[in-house]
Amino acid sequence: NSSRVHPMHLHGVHFRVVSQNGKRPHPGDAAWKDTVTVLPDQRVTVRPYFDHYTGVYVFHCHALEHNDVAMMGQMEVVA
């Protein structure tokens, strides 16, 4: 939970927004994306398309102050 906007980005893969706070996504979020805006106190669920690489992917917030302190996460895709 956060009181600010977070532009969340996933490296090396595109995704579709499945839901925003448990509801259908806004029509503007219907296309393939690599970054999605997460509004204050919002939960966004995405479905990435992993078609060519198993291994570690990085995701992070594009807010400048988060990039400055290396706020990044990792997830591992296995076959």
Side-chain angles (χ1 to χ4, degrees), residues 3-79:
S3 61
R4 57 172 295 169
V5 173
H6 293 274
M8 297 302 298
H9 173 69
L10 180 57
H11 281 233
V13 66
H14 288 94
F15 58 82
R16 291 205 184 256
V17 176
V18 175
S19 67
Q20 295 167 314
N21 283 345
K23 298 179 181 169
R24 292 179 66 154
H26 182 277
D29 287 324
W32 288 102
K33 301 179 145 305
D34 68 357
T35 304
V36 64
T37 300
V38 181
L39 299 175
D41 300 316
Q42 184 182 48
R43 179 179 298 257
V44 175
T45 302
V46 300
R47 180 170 298 161
Y49 182 66
F50 301 106
D51 66 338
H52 60 280
Y53 174 72
T54 56
V56 177
Y57 287 82
V58 176
F59 62 95
H60 64 93
C61 177
H62 267 233
L64 183 58
E65 56 274 17
H66 288 178
N67 285 334
D68 289 346
V69 293
M71 290 183 70
M72 301 183 94
Q74 294 180 341
M75 64 180 171
E76 185 172 6
V77 175
V78 296

